Amino acid sequence: MQQRRADHIAVQLEELIFDGTFQDGQRLDEVRLADQFGVSRTPLREAIQRLALSGLVDLIPRRGAFVRQPGPVELIEMFEVMAELEAACGRLAARRISDAALADLRDANARCRAAVEARDSDSYYTENERFHRIIYQQSGNGFLEQETTKLHKRLKPFRRKQLGFRGRMAQSMAEHEAIVAALEQGDGARAGDTLHKHVAVQGEKFHNLMASLKSAAE
Amino acid sequence: MQQRRADHIAVQLEELIFDGTFQDGQRLDEVRLADQFGVSRTPLREAIQRLALSGLVDLIPRRGAFVRQPGPVELIEMFEVMAELEAACGRLAARRISDAALADLRDANARCRAAVEARDSDSYYTENERFHRIIYQQSGNGFLEQETTKLHKRLKPFRRKQLGFRGRMAQSMAEHEAIVAALEQGDGARAGDTLHKHVAVQGEKFHNLMASLKSAAE
DNA sequence: GTCAACCGTTTTGTATACAAGAAGCGACAT
DNA sequence: ATGTCGCTTCTTGTATACAAAACGGTTGAC
């Protein structure tokens, strides 16, 4: 799924949208971007098509591609779905998880704890990602893993922002412990519930953040 | 998201893959197909890109696009995810569903019943689809609705095949009644569970069908 | 003064031409 | 006889050229 250039360009464009370089509603000028990337319009158009399929841009026929940043409502919705998917992973993983994977989870958690104590939100983020990825894998359902990973990736920039919340890292840490405990005991329902809350709360936190930013601006 | 031709071609190619005209592993010859559709390679390639993104073909760099029919295992996995998504829709809908939508559900159910009695699996299928679509909508989560609809569409050809199972229509019908009852009472947990079973059983039935076909062939 | 229509410009969508990589085949050498 | 190297050919990936549609500005009419 990667003829080097179009693939590379798609990834770069994604980055530019994620980090906010491209504002919401901004049109992606094919010739300008093609020039900028030093390629012709053809591979660039392919990249844009891919962004459109992932929902990052709206493609309006004969008008062009317009950046489509999700608004607060859609973000909440996406986190809600994320919570459901992660919960499903957890429920399945509780039945199927291997001892080796449990050890990996505990290892990731230990590193998370170290990051919390070191107030190192970057490495916390990295280890947190590893933690969740293990659970996706251990669901034993490749398709679920794939879909969950896709949404996880899409929510990445927003999750990252809300990590700076006061006390969020410590709270998140505690939730991780509870999740591992539930998985250890093979308690799928509890693992699912805990994961659901763990993820859904991120959406709510983010919503609060957005609201506070908005009211501060007024 | 549609400059008429590429869009049209993508849909047609999808159909051809769904209905099995293109075998698993078959290479999609760009020039031959372009010729066949009466267009140049450019829009055809865009269509193929889209199929690749939806997972219908594997795109191997410098080698071409190869049809990728999901195997039995992947199908089970997809139905499992479908069950989770529908269950999530049900849980949310139980809290939010409007009286009008409840009436619509009952209406769809009545038509389903008529179709069962008339042994009309085509119209059963249509009404069944309407039934589920209403629940997706009433989840009140646009993103969830969108994702669920997408997967629903992808599983369409497989769901259809297993509908011919003896007694499946009647059983499915009874499950619909139970779902409506749970939604009426605002019992999200029960609505979710019932929906989950209702969908997951389809995957299992399909699996059985595949197995029986396979053993019959031996 | 304002609104509408027409023309020029810009930009997207499509076709075609070109380049580069991969597969198939044959010849040669071991 | 078999394996490998090189050539030919086919196919994909990219660039460019062309067509058509949409936007903007200007001009004219009411």
Side-chain angles (χ1 to χ4, degrees):
Chain A
M1 199 211 270
Q2 51 289 56
Q3 60 283 13
R4 233 178 43 266
R5 299 196 224 211
D7 187 55
H8 189 62
I9 291 169
V11 172
Q12 282 199 279
L13 284 179
E14 263 182 29
E15 291 294 328
L16 289 172
I17 292 176
F18 282 162
D19 72 13
T21 305
F22 291 142
Q23 300 278 326
D24 185 50
Q26 180 174 344
R27 176 173 142 269
L28 297 181
D29 189 326
E30 292 182 1
V31 294
R32 208 172 62 82
L33 287 171
D35 207 50
Q36 200 166 313
F37 282 108
V39 298
S40 85
R41 277 175 57 217
T42 311
L44 197 124
R45 279 176 64 85
E46 289 190 355
I48 287 180
Q49 296 262 338
R50 285 169 56 168
L51 298 189
L53 267 279
S54 355
L56 271 66
V57 301
D58 274 336
L59 214 47
I60 303 175
R62 293 269 173 214
R63 293 287 312 276
F66 297 85
V67 177
R68 188 173 163 290
Q69 298 283 12
V73 173
E74 192 173 1
L75 266 176
I76 295 272
E77 291 181 354
M78 289 166 79
F79 271 106
E80 174 76 42
V81 173
M82 189 73 216
E84 291 290 347
L85 289 176
E86 292 234 15
C89 288
R91 280 192 293 273
L92 294 174
R95 281 189 279 164
R96 302 167 176 171
I97 195 165
S98 69
D99 286 345
L102 266 175
D104 284 345
L105 279 181
R106 275 190 287 261
D107 182 55
N109 249 359
R111 292 184 199 220
C112 275
R113 181 168 296 285
V116 170
E117 280 161 13
R119 296 256 195 290
D120 180 351
S121 79
D122 273 354
S123 83
Y124 180 86
Y125 188 81
T126 307
E127 293 305 324
N128 176 64
E129 198 163 315
R130 193 159 75 94
F131 180 88
H132 285 274
R133 192 172 302 271
I134 291 169
I135 293 175
Y136 305 163
Q137 282 164 1
Q138 293 298 314
S139 74
N141 181 324
F143 184 72
L144 177 60
E145 180 190 344
Q146 196 179 311
E147 293 295 307
T148 310
T149 304
K150 205 191 292 176
L151 186 53
H152 180 96
K153 192 179 148 206
R154 182 145 173 220
L155 289 175
K156 198 168 182 168
F158 306 104
R159 205 177 317 108
R160 183 128 206 180
K161 275 181 195 159
Q162 61 87 50
L163 200 66
F165 261 88
R166 209 162 53 82
R168 176 65 195 134
M169 268 173 25
Q171 189 196 337
S172 174
M173 194 57 234
E175 289 161 3
H176 277 205
E177 306 274 13
I179 291 163
V180 173
L183 288 175
E184 256 172 350
Q185 293 162 28
D187 187 340
R190 194 150 59 85
D193 284 353
T194 316
L195 264 165
H196 191 288
K197 283 203 198 78
H198 175 63
V199 175
V201 74
Q202 295 178 35
E204 288 156 25
K205 290 268 181 193
F206 195 84
H207 189 226
N208 294 341
L209 173 62
M210 296 297 286
S212 66
L213 285 179
K214 196 173 227 172
S215 64
E218 281 164 3
Chain B
M1 201 210 269
Q2 50 293 52
Q3 60 283 11
R4 234 177 44 267
R5 298 195 225 211
D7 187 53
H8 189 62
I9 292 169
V11 171
Q12 282 198 278
L13 283 180
E14 262 181 32
E15 290 295 328
L16 289 172
I17 292 177
F18 281 161
D19 73 14
T21 305
F22 291 142
Q23 300 278 325
D24 185 50
Q26 180 175 344
R27 177 172 140 271
L28 297 180
D29 189 326
E30 292 182 0
V31 294
R32 208 172 62 81
L33 288 172
D35 208 50
Q36 201 165 312
F37 282 108
V39 297
S40 85
R41 277 176 57 217
T42 312
L44 197 123
R45 279 176 63 85
E46 290 191 355
I48 288 180
Q49 296 264 338
R50 284 167 60 167
L51 298 188
L53 268 275
S54 356
L56 271 67
V57 301
D58 274 336
L59 214 47
I60 303 175
R62 292 267 171 216
R63 293 286 313 276
F66 297 85
V67 177
R68 188 173 164 288
Q69 297 284 12
V73 173
E74 191 173 359
L75 267 176
I76 296 272
E77 291 182 353
M78 288 166 80
F79 271 107
E80 173 75 42
V81 173
M82 189 73 215
E84 291 290 347
L85 289 176
E86 292 233 16
C89 287
R91 281 193 294 273
L92 293 174
R95 282 189 278 163
R96 302 168 175 170
I97 195 165
S98 69
D99 286 344
L102 266 175
D104 285 345
L105 278 180
R106 275 190 287 259
D107 181 55
N109 250 358
R111 294 184 199 219
C112 275
R113 181 167 295 284
V116 170
E117 280 160 15
R119 296 256 195 288
D120 180 351
S121 79
D122 273 353
S123 83
Y124 180 86
Y125 187 80
T126 307
E127 293 305 325
N128 177 62
E129 197 163 317
R130 194 159 76 93
F131 180 87
H132 284 274
R133 193 172 302 272
I134 291 168
I135 294 174
Y136 306 161
Q137 282 164 0
Q138 293 299 313
S139 74
N141 181 326
F143 184 72
L144 177 60
E145 180 190 344
Q146 194 180 312
E147 293 294 308
T148 310
T149 303
K150 206 191 293 178
L151 186 53
H152 179 96
K153 191 180 149 206
R154 183 147 172 217
L155 289 175
K156 198 166 182 169
F158 307 104
R159 204 178 316 109
R160 183 130 207 179
K161 276 181 195 160
Q162 61 87 48
L163 199 65
F165 262 89
R166 209 163 53 84
R168 176 65 196 135
M169 267 171 29
Q171 189 196 338
S172 175
M173 194 57 233
E175 289 162 2
H176 277 205
E177 307 273 12
I179 291 162
V180 173
L183 287 175
E184 255 172 348
Q185 293 162 27
D187 187 340
R190 193 149 60 86
D193 284 353
T194 317
L195 264 165
H196 190 288
K197 283 203 197 78
H198 175 61
V199 175
V201 75
Q202 295 179 35
E204 287 156 26
K205 291 267 180 192
F206 195 85
H207 189 225
N208 294 341
L209 173 62
M210 295 298 287
S212 65
L213 285 178
K214 195 172 230 171
S215 65
E218 280 164 5

